[in-house]
Amino acid sequence: MNQDEIRQLIIQSADTRGFTDRLLIKELRAQLAPCAPSELFEGLYSLFLSDESNYRDRQELAGRLLYKLYPRLRLDLRRVIKDCLATYYISVEQLPQYLVLLCGIERVVMVVNELAATELTERERISLNVFKFWLGMD
């Protein structure tokens, strides 16, 4: 399954069944587990780059799957965090938690602090502050 198919699967699943259905999450984990880590990450992460309709449920489901499936790959952590700040749904704690699993708390904290020192929109700053909260930086 490629990243576009993964994205569409999450959109369809979140739009029809939400993000709290344990059976759905179990089914999706089984379906997505064989996917290449880069395709899996890009497909799930792409949902954090949009705030179109139902983005809360879509991001919640994508975050839960990112954390549970834990695709292991090298990321440009600064780009990943910065790119999603404008559209990140702040209740999704699994995205920062996944990044910590993948890159380590020290590195994630360092990047968050670097980004905090840059020029950000109000929404990006709010998202970054929520990242800090989920990381226990407050």
Side-chain angles (χ1 to χ4, degrees), residues 12-74:
Q12 180 183 35
S13 299
D15 290 357
T16 58
R17 293 174 65 183
F19 63 90
T20 59
D21 183 334
R22 289 178 189 250
L23 183 56
L24 170 64
I25 293 170
K26 185 176 180 180
E27 290 168 3
L28 290 171
R29 284 177 69 184
Q31 197 170 355
L32 296 173
C35 296
S38 60
E39 295 289 336
L40 183 57
F41 173 79
E42 291 298 335
L44 295 173
Y45 175 72
S46 69
L47 293 156
F48 291 95
L49 303 177
S50 170
D51 61 359
E52 58 194 30
S53 67
N54 201 26
Y55 79 105
R56 180 195 74 137
D57 287 2
R58 294 171 181 182
Q59 287 189 18
E60 288 279 2
L61 185 56
R64 289 169 191 231
L65 290 165
L66 256 180
Y67 186 77
K68 290 186 179 291
L69 291 168
Y70 182 37
R72 293 161 184 86
L73 67 161
R74 288 192 171 270

Side-chain angles (χ1 to χ4, degrees), residues 90 96 105 109 112-113 116 125-138:
I90 60 176
I105 186 71
V109 167
V112 166
N113 285 332
R125 187 143 322 270
I126 289 168
S127 294
L128 194 63
N129 286 334
V130 172
F131 254 70
K132 287 180 177 182
F133 172 79
W134 291 128
L135 297 170
M137 294 172 66
D138 286 341

